[in-house]
Amino acid sequence: MRIFNSSSHSSKKEKEEKEWLGASFKAENFIPGMVIGFILGLLLDLYKPSKSSNTLKKTSHLLSRNQPEKILAPPKPDDEDLKMVLVVRQDLKMAQGKIASQCAHAATGMYAELMQSDRYLLRQWEQCGQPKIVVTCKNQQEMNKLKEAAENIGLPTFVVADAGRTQVASGSRTVLAVGPGSKSAVDSVTGKQRLL
């Protein structure tokens, strides 16, 4: 009959566990593990719906960052495509290149805002091919009305304020981005505007 010494058996196990744990925290094991964990965390963050996926939020824009964010509208139906409309002021008499540049500012500005506030909406828009339509408005007053109408139904907006280095005065509001949002919602705000 053999008698096992349980204390020597358990101390041997503890020693093996300590050796394994010590080997796990060596730099050659720890650093790759941290890198892999970081990458997995980023992927999970990018592919999970954000908390705001159940509602569209009013997106603050360049000119009113101090306004509180409000939840305004239900989500779009999944079977309806999204689009963005860029509204260009005609009274500023900008050249074609200037208009193109300002529209690019509006689209990328909205994209940056949505990266922070509603990645789920951004991904939906990307899956639709990121459609953008460019229309005109007469002046600042008409642009303000369109912006207000869009925000009242929960569409994100972004206004470009020009730096004033070339054709227009500093601080001039040149382009309004409306959406991305469902085609029907965006059209209810900008559908009567003339195409550029």
Side-chain angles (χ1 to χ4, degrees):
M1 176 184 243
R2 268 185 157 167
I3 299 176
F4 291 101
N5 186 350
S6 64
S7 66
S8 69
H9 182 64
S10 66
S11 67
K12 191 175 189 180
K13 243 184 177 179
E14 287 176 12
K15 186 177 178 183
E16 287 174 2
E17 286 178 10
K18 285 180 183 177
E19 287 175 4
W20 177 83
L21 191 59
S24 310
F25 285 108
K26 288 184 179 175
E28 60 267 14
N29 296 333
F30 185 72
I31 293 173
M34 289 290 293
V35 170
I36 291 169
F38 178 75
I39 291 170
L40 288 174
L42 280 176
L43 291 174
L44 287 173
D45 183 51
L46 290 175
Y47 289 108
K48 71 177 181 180
S50 68
K51 291 179 182 176
S52 60
S53 66
N54 293 333
T55 55
L56 292 177
K57 290 184 178 180
K58 173 186 169 196
T59 304
S60 62
H61 59 85
L62 187 64
L63 299 176
S64 63
R65 293 205 184 273
N66 296 331
Q67 292 180 347
E69 197 167 295
K70 300 174 188 171
I71 298 173
L72 296 172
K76 70 152 200 85
D78 286 332
D79 59 346
E80 192 174 358
D81 284 341
L82 300 176
K83 74 176 183 178
M84 177 189 290
V85 171
L86 304 170
V87 183
V88 179
R89 280 180 55 189
Q90 288 297 102
D91 62 319
L92 295 175
K93 307 284 189 223
M94 295 180 285
Q96 290 177 348
K98 181 70 171 178
I99 291 172
S101 174
Q102 296 301 298
C103 286
H105 286 313
T108 57
M110 178 60 77
Y111 193 95
E113 293 265 334
L114 291 175
M115 280 294 288
Q116 298 299 315
S117 65
D118 198 343
R119 288 185 178 185
Y120 182 74
L121 175 64
L122 192 59
R123 279 195 309 277
Q124 286 180 312
W125 181 53
E126 289 171 339
Q127 290 170 354
C128 295
Q130 298 174 331
K132 293 168 279 309
I133 313 298
V134 182
V135 299
T136 64
C137 69
K138 295 174 190 166
N139 52 35
Q140 179 67 52
Q141 291 77 20
E142 187 177 9
M143 181 183 281
N144 292 344
K145 287 178 185 176
L146 293 169
K147 179 180 175 303
E148 184 179 339
E151 290 176 347
N152 285 340
I153 62 169
L155 290 171
T157 62
F158 186 90
V159 175
V160 177
D162 191 69
R165 295 188 189 108
T166 55
Q167 298 177 18
V168 297
S170 177
S172 296
R173 283 108 175 132
T174 57
V175 177
L176 164 69
V178 176
S182 67
K183 286 182 178 182
S184 59
V186 174
D187 286 345
S188 72
V189 175
T190 62
K192 294 181 180 176
Q193 303 305 120
R194 285 186 56 216
L195 289 172
L196 181 66

